């Protein structure tokens, strides 16, 4: 069967724009995904990052759900060690009650922030150690089989809120396999362990009530345009902006020209940052389709979750539409 397509929306705040602009863009992107045949859109929990507006992840999910009709929406992911499992169960029980059959809950164990912000979140530095137990506690609340006597999550939705384990290492792969949950690998920014983690997950998977067989999702960065050179230009602009934001954190307010950023990314010091986006599809719809098909086949992916990074929202929406159209055309040809 053709590989399913989904979207990771980073809810970016472009220079000169506001968080409200970002939320409007997220609605536009989700609507484009809905009409272009994507399966779901996910939002990631990040904190203290001026260029990312998805810190209150469940609130953003609810906002976008209210402005779309059918597409699934969820977290990619909620950083569970930042929260009480009960609170997350209440939030996602509320979302599923309001938007039945459309809500996903992807879970990660990273802080989604720096060390100082982690402390500001009142997060215990050792809280990630209890991530497996927290996932089980959360699952108990969502299914009405609480592991804490006398405590229930209210509201608890009548429908199922499916859980997904997110990761970029073997730990997440092993946990997802042990719990019998789908596994989403963050190869869009942490590519190194992708193939090994997927192999570990498939080899050690244990069926569960939610998932009878392994289910692999993998992240890919995408820039699709009608013209190849335009897609390449969008990639250059977006990745320069990303590098500039990271380099500028400790630069005391210094700014860097495009030439300086390009030189840094080409240098040994910048090579690690550049390698984080190793899995990037860029070009015309046909070129991107070929890349995605080859990438998905290399790990036998069940689903690809795409991060469309064009800086301008019109370009980003068009990338979503062109990619969805190209993949749908390929799927229809296979079905003939």
């Amino acid at each position: 069967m053709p590989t399913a397509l989904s979207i990771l929306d980073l809810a970016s705040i472009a220079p000169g724009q506001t968080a409200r602009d970002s939320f409007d863009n997220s609605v536009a992107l989700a609507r484009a995904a809905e009409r272009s045949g994507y399966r779901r859109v996910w939002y990631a929990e990040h904190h203290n990052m001026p260029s990312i507006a998805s810190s209150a992840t469940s609130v953003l999910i609810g906002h976008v759900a209210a402005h779309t009709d059918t597409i699934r929406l969820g977290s990619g992911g909620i950083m569970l060690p930042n929260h009480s499992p009960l609170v997350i169960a209440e939030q996602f029980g509320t979302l599923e009650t309001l938007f039945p059959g459309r809500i996903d809950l992807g879970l990660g164990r990273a802080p989604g922030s720096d060390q100082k912000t982690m402390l500001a979140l009142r997060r215990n530095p050792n809280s990630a150690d209890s991530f497996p137990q927290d996932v089980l506690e959360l699952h108990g609340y969502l299914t009405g089989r609480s592991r804490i006597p006398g405590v229930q999550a209210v509201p608890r939705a009548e429908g199922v809120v499916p859980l997904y384990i997110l990761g970029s290492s073997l730990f997440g792969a092993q946990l997802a396999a042990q719990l019998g949950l789908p596994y989403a690998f963050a190869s869009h920014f942490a590519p190194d362990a992708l193939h090994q983690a997927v192999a570990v997950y498939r080899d050690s998977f244990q069926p569960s009530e939610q998932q009878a067989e392994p289910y692999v999702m993998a992240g890919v960065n995408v820039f699709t345009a009608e013209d190849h050179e335009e897609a390449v230009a969008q990639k250059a602009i977006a990745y320069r902006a990303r590098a500039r934001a990271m380099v500028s954190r400790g630069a005391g307010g210094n700014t860097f020209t495009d030439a300086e950023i390009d030189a840094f990314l080409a240098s040994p010091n910048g090579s690690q940052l550049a390698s984080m986006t190793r899995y990037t599809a860029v070009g015309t719809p046909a070129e991107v389709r070929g890349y995605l098909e080859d990438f998905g086949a290399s790990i036998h992916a069940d689903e690809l979750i795409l991060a469309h990074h064009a800086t301008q929202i019109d370009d980003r929406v068009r990338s979503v539409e062109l990619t969805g159209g190209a993949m749908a055309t390929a799927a229809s040809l296979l079905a003939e």
Side-chain angles (χ1 to χ4, degrees):
M1 294 294 291
T3 304
L5 285 189
S6 296
I7 290 177
L8 175 64
D9 179 3
L10 296 178
S12 57
I13 305 174
Q17 293 193 334
T18 66
R20 179 65 209 213
D21 295 326
S22 173
F23 299 147
D24 291 343
N25 292 343
S26 288
V27 169
L29 204 70
R31 286 174 171 169
E34 191 169 67
R35 62 178 177 263
S36 300
Y38 289 74
R39 180 167 293 181
R40 68 187 95 242
V41 181
W42 280 0
Y43 308 91
E45 177 188 346
H46 292 285
H47 300 280
N48 195 32
M49 294 186 181
S51 61
I52 298 180
S54 53
S55 54
T57 315
S58 59
V59 179
L60 179 56
I61 292 169
H63 173 68
V64 178
H67 289 84
T68 51
D69 297 315
T70 58
I71 195 164
R72 296 192 66 90
L73 300 161
S75 59
I78 289 291
M79 301 298 107
L80 190 55
N82 290 343
H83 309 278
S84 153
L86 176 60
V87 169
I88 297 304
E90 292 169 341
Q91 291 177 2
F92 279 78
T94 299
L95 286 168
E96 174 63 25
T97 300
L98 291 170
F99 308 102
R102 296 182 59 199
I103 302 301
D104 301 326
L105 179 47
L107 301 168
R109 67 176 183 135
S113 62
D114 55 53
Q115 291 295 315
K116 288 183 179 180
T117 307
M118 182 182 74
L119 295 176
L121 287 165
R122 302 179 184 272
R123 183 179 190 265
N124 184 319
N126 299 319
S127 57
D129 296 342
S130 63
F131 180 64
Q133 292 75 27
D134 288 346
V135 172
L136 292 173
E137 182 181 339
L138 173 59
H139 180 263
Y141 293 134
L142 289 171
T143 57
R145 298 192 290 268
S146 175
R147 292 171 173 258
I148 310 300
V151 178
Q152 300 292 332
V154 180
R156 184 177 74 83
E158 294 182 4
V160 174
V161 180
L163 299 183
Y164 299 76
I165 298 298
L166 281 59
S168 58
S169 68
L170 300 188
F171 178 90
Q174 292 165 339
L175 179 62
Q178 179 183 348
L179 299 181
L181 295 176
Y183 180 52
F185 192 90
S187 38
H188 61 294
F189 77 91
D192 291 346
L194 170 63
H195 290 84
Q196 184 181 8
V198 168
V200 166
Y201 170 69
R202 290 191 184 280
D203 289 346
S204 55
F205 182 83
Q206 301 177 29
S208 70
E209 182 179 351
Q210 177 178 325
Q211 198 70 37
E213 297 178 348
Y215 192 89
V216 171
M217 302 170 66
V220 188
N221 305 292
V222 175
F223 299 86
T224 311
E226 285 91 347
D227 178 74
H228 175 86
E229 295 306 320
E230 174 59 25
V232 171
Q234 291 176 12
K235 173 189 171 186
I237 292 169
Y239 282 178
R240 281 181 192 135
R242 177 177 178 272
R244 185 175 286 112
M246 292 187 176
V247 172
S248 297
R249 286 181 186 174
N254 290 343
T255 59
F256 299 92
T257 66
D258 288 350
E260 288 171 331
I261 291 296
D262 290 345
F264 170 73
L265 291 173
S267 71
N269 287 336
S271 61
Q272 182 176 2
L273 179 59
S275 70
M276 291 171 65
T277 53
R278 179 190 314 161
Y279 295 122
T280 297
V282 55
T284 64
E287 290 171 330
V288 168
R289 182 191 68 210
Y291 184 98
L292 295 179
E293 288 175 344
D294 290 345
F295 174 81
S298 73
I299 54 170
H300 304 288
D302 298 288
E303 187 170 338
L304 299 180
I305 185 156
L306 311 182
H308 294 267
H309 286 300
T311 302
Q312 298 299 317
I313 183 58
D314 290 345
D315 293 333
R316 204 150 68 241
V317 166
R318 191 64 181 140
S319 182
V320 167
E321 293 172 338
L322 291 171
T323 306
M327 298 298 281
T329 297
S332 64
L333 290 175
L334 285 174
E336 291 179 356

